[in-house]
Amino acid sequence: MVEPEELAVVAALNETLERLGRGIDARAIDAAGRIPSELIEQLADLGLFGLSLPTEHGGYGLSLSACGSVVAQLARFDRSVATTVGLHLGLGSRGLVAFGSPQQQAELLPAMALGRPIAAFAATEPGAGSDLTAVRTRVQEGGRGVQVDGSKIYVTNGALAGIFTILARSPGLGGNKRGQSLVLLRDTDEGVKVGAEEGKLGLRGSSTTSLDLDGVQVPADRILGVPGQAPEQLAHILAWGRTMMAAGCCGTGRAALDAAHRHCGFREQFGRRLSALPVVGQQLAEGEALLFAMEALVRYAAGSDEAGLRTRSLAAKVLCSEGGWELADLAVQLHGGSGFIEETGVALLLRDARVPRIFEGANDVLRVHLGLHTAGSAQPVEGDSLEAEVANLGVALRERLGARLGGAPLMMHALGSLAGLALASRAAVERAEQEASPQATALAETWLRLARLRALPHLHRLREASP
Ligand SMILES: Cc1cc2nc3c(=O)[nH]c(=O)nc-3n(C[C@H](O)[C@H](O)[C@H](O)COP(=O)(O)OP(=O)(O)OC[C@H]3O[C@@H](n4cnc5c(N)ncnc54)[C@H](O)[C@@H]3O)c2cc1C
C-alpha cells in the first residue's frame, strides 16, 4: 500500500503522467529504438529519477510501493520508458542508497535524483547469467586504489548511464579469499567502454549494451559497503528491482486490458459486440481478476519487511511478468487479425512483455528459489485455503527430504509455482478487505477460483516428481 502521507504526491505525479503519457508515441519509440532525449529531460524535470532517492539528497524519498505505482503508470504508456526510469530507481541506484557511504551518497545522489546521471546495474556476463557466482569480472588492489577488469552484457540503460553498479569477484579484498563486491564506476572512468545497442525482440526503446572494463583504476572507496558483501547486498537490491519490475508489468497488463475492452466494446461479430459474447466476457472478467491479484501482490511485497520483501518479490516478479504477458496476449487475441498488425499497438505490448519473464532472474530459477524458501520455512496451517495446502506441502517435503531439498529442483519448482499462487491469493483477499467494495470482493473471489485452477498442474507435477 502507498503510505497515507505519500498519497497526495503519488496522485499528483500520476495525474501529470496521465497528461504527459498521452503525448508519448510508443510505436515511434519502438521504431526509432530510442527514447527522445526531450522526453527523458521532461521525466527528469518532473523529478521521476529521484522518486526513491532520499530527500536529504534531493529525492522524493518515496516508498517502494509509491515508486511502483508511478512506474506502473508510466508502463501504461510505454514499457521502454518505464524500464528506463524503473531500472534507475531500482537496480541502478538502490545499492548506493542502501549501502553507500555518506560521502558517496552526498557526492552522487543529488545529481542522480535529477537523472543526471542516469544509473545502470551490470551483473550479467557471457558466462554468468542465472548463476551469478560464475562472474569473472574482477576487482583487486591496484593503481590508486582498486582495479576492475572484465566485461558485462545486457546492461539496461547502458548508453544513457553515467554511473554503473558492477558485480565483480574480489578475491583477497577485505580479508576474504573468495567473495564478490559491488563497485561503482562512472562512464568517464578511464577504461570503461560502452558497447553498441543490441537489436531486440521488444523493449526496443530501452537501451541495452555491453560494457568493457579494461584496467579501470578507481579509488578503493568506490566499493559499496564492506568488500566481499555483494551476495547479501544483491539480495536486497534484486528484491527491490524485482518488485519495481513487477509493478511495470501491472502497467502493461492495464494497458492491454484497456485496449481489449475498447476493441471488444465496439467490434461486432455474430450480430453482437465481442464483449457480449459469453466466452469473451469471461476472458475479460478473468483478465481483470488476474490484474487485481498482480497489483495486490506487488503492494503486498512492497509493503513487507526486508525478509518478506525478499521472498514475496520472487512471487510478484513471476506472477506479474507472466500475467503481463498473458494479458498482452489476450489483447492480441481479442483484436483478432488486427492484433497482429502493428498499428493497433497491442503487438508492441506483447513484444515488450516478453523479456520481463527472463531478466532480473529467469522465472523458472525464481520459482525454484521460492520453492526452497517455502519448504525451508513453512509451518503447518489449518484450513482448506490454497495457502494452507501449500504450507502443509512444504512442511511434508521438508520432513521427507530434510537437507536434500536443494537436490530436488523439480519438486521445488512445482512448490514455488504453488507458493506464488498462494501468496497472490492472500494478497488479493487482503486487498479486497482493504478496499471493502463489492467489485473488489468479486475480483478476489474470481482470482481465488483461478488460482485453484492454475494450481492443478503444479500439484500434479509435485506428485509426479515425488520419489
Ligand atoms: C533486455 C535485457 C535487459 C537486461 N538488463 C540487465 C541489466 O540491466 N543488468 C544485468 O546484470 N543483466 C541484465 N540482463 C540479463 C538478464 O538478467 C539475464 O539474461 C537473465 O538473468 C538470464 O540469464 P542468461 O541470459 O544468461 O540465461 P541462462 O542463465 O543461460 O538461462 C537460460 C534459461 O535456462 C533456464 N534456466 C537456467 N538455470 C535454471 C535453473 N537453475 N532452473 C530452471 N531453469 C533454469 C531458464 O529458462 C533461463 O531463462 C538483461 C537481459 C535482457 C535480455
Side-chain angles (χ1 to χ4, degrees):
M1 289 291 284
V2 175
E3 301 296 326
E5 62 275 15
E6 298 176 327
L7 280 173
V9 63
V10 170
L13 275 170
N14 281 344
E15 209 180 299
T16 309
L17 289 180
E18 183 78 47
R19 278 196 301 278
L20 181 80
R22 280 190 229 116
I24 295 180
D25 186 343
R27 288 188 47 231
I29 289 175
D30 177 66
R34 60 183 289 275
I35 302 167
S37 42
E38 310 79 67
L39 177 55
I40 295 194
E41 292 285 321
Q42 273 179 299
L43 300 171
D45 290 346
L46 278 175
L48 294 198
F49 290 100
L51 292 183
S52 59
L53 274 49
T55 47
E56 64 268 31
H57 295 301
Y60 275 89
L62 292 184
S63 67
L64 181 51
S65 281
C67 294
S69 146
V70 176
V71 168
Q73 174 80 332
L74 275 177
R76 283 179 50 215
F77 302 109
D78 184 62
R79 194 62 197 267
S80 289
V81 171
T83 300
T84 304
V85 175
L87 193 289
H88 170 95
L89 299 177
L91 297 186
S93 57
R94 189 63 202 166
L96 182 55
V97 171
F99 307 109
S101 67
Q103 293 90 322
Q104 284 168 333
Q105 294 186 346
E107 185 194 338
L108 296 168
L109 288 177
M112 286 164 71
L114 300 171
R116 302 172 183 103
I118 287 176
F121 173 85
T124 305
E125 299 180 0
S130 300
D131 178 11
L132 288 178
T133 62
V135 155
R136 305 298 304 162
T137 295
R138 188 182 165 111
V139 53
Q140 58 195 327
E141 280 176 20
R144 294 178 291 131
V146 291
Q147 176 170 322
V148 187
D149 291 276
S151 55
K152 298 289 179 183
I153 54 171
Y154 308 153
V155 182
T156 298
N157 288 352
L160 301 175
I163 182 140
F164 299 86
T165 302
I166 308 279
L167 175 65
R169 63 197 184 97
S170 54
L173 286 189
N176 305 308
K177 273 204 182 121
R178 290 197 186 79
Q180 294 181 328
S181 301
L182 294 174
V183 193
L184 295 172
L185 295 183
R186 306 295 306 258
D187 60 331
T188 46
D189 290 330
E190 206 178 323
V192 171
K193 188 165 167 246
V194 176
E197 283 293 347
E198 302 288 355
K200 304 194 292 286
L201 170 72
L203 221 57
R204 290 179 176 160
S206 154
S207 168
T208 310
T209 69
S210 57
L211 190 64
D212 276 334
L213 308 168
D214 183 10
V216 185
Q217 296 188 359
V218 289
D221 67 7
R222 290 285 195 89
I223 290 186
L224 265 185
V226 182
Q229 293 300 307
E232 176 57 20
Q233 295 168 333
L234 277 179
H236 171 78
I237 296 169
L238 291 173
W240 252 74
R242 281 193 297 262
T243 309
M244 199 82 80
M245 208 256 275
C249 296
C250 294
T252 299
R254 184 69 270 155
L257 276 173
D258 287 349
H261 284 297
R262 264 195 313 275
H263 180 77
C264 295
F266 76 81
R267 169 80 172 163
E268 292 189 0
Q269 288 292 282
F270 304 101
R272 299 160 82 179
R273 292 202 172 131
L274 293 183
S275 53
L277 298 172
V279 171
V280 173
Q282 183 179 52
Q283 288 168 333
L284 288 170
E286 291 184 350
E288 287 293 348
L290 168 60
L291 183 59
F292 181 85
M294 286 160 57
E295 291 169 348
L297 187 52
V298 171
R299 291 181 205 172
Y300 186 54
S304 308
D305 60 13
E306 180 67 20
L309 174 67
R310 289 187 187 187
T311 17
R312 291 168 191 168
S313 64
L314 297 170
K317 194 277 186 179
V318 173
L319 182 86
C320 295
S321 60
E322 305 214 337
W325 169 257
E326 191 178 325
L327 294 172
D329 186 52
L330 177 66
V332 169
Q333 187 70 20
L334 291 177
H335 277 73
S338 70
F340 201 68
I341 307 297
E342 290 285 358
E343 206 179 324
T344 48
V346 286
L348 173 57
L349 287 179
L350 186 71
R351 287 192 284 106
D352 284 354
R354 187 60 186 86
V355 77
R357 293 170 58 195
I358 297 172
F359 63 16
E360 300 205 23
N363 283 4
D364 292 313
V365 177
L366 302 188
R367 284 190 160 99
V368 174
H369 284 323
L370 186 55
L372 279 169
H373 174 83
T374 306
S377 63
Q379 295 301 321
V381 176
E382 284 184 14
D384 58 1
S385 66
L386 184 59
E387 200 180 347
E389 191 171 350
V390 172
N392 296 333
L393 275 169
V395 173
L397 282 170
R398 182 170 70 238
E399 285 172 357
R400 201 162 79 210
L401 295 173
R404 289 178 292 121
L405 282 173
L410 293 178
M411 282 192 267
M412 294 306 108
H413 183 269
L415 184 65
S417 305
L418 289 166
L421 291 167
L423 282 167
S425 300
R426 186 205 287 196
V429 168
E430 285 191 9
R431 179 177 174 186
E433 282 168 5
Q434 279 154 6
E435 292 185 13
S437 70
Q439 195 198 10
T441 307
L443 285 166
E445 279 170 5
T446 305
W447 168 253
L448 292 184
R449 186 173 57 73
L450 284 179
R452 278 277 176 200
L453 285 174
R454 286 166 188 239
L456 292 176
H458 304 299
L459 288 167
H460 185 70
R461 287 254 183 220
L462 205 48
R463 277 195 289 274
E464 235 178 30
S466 292

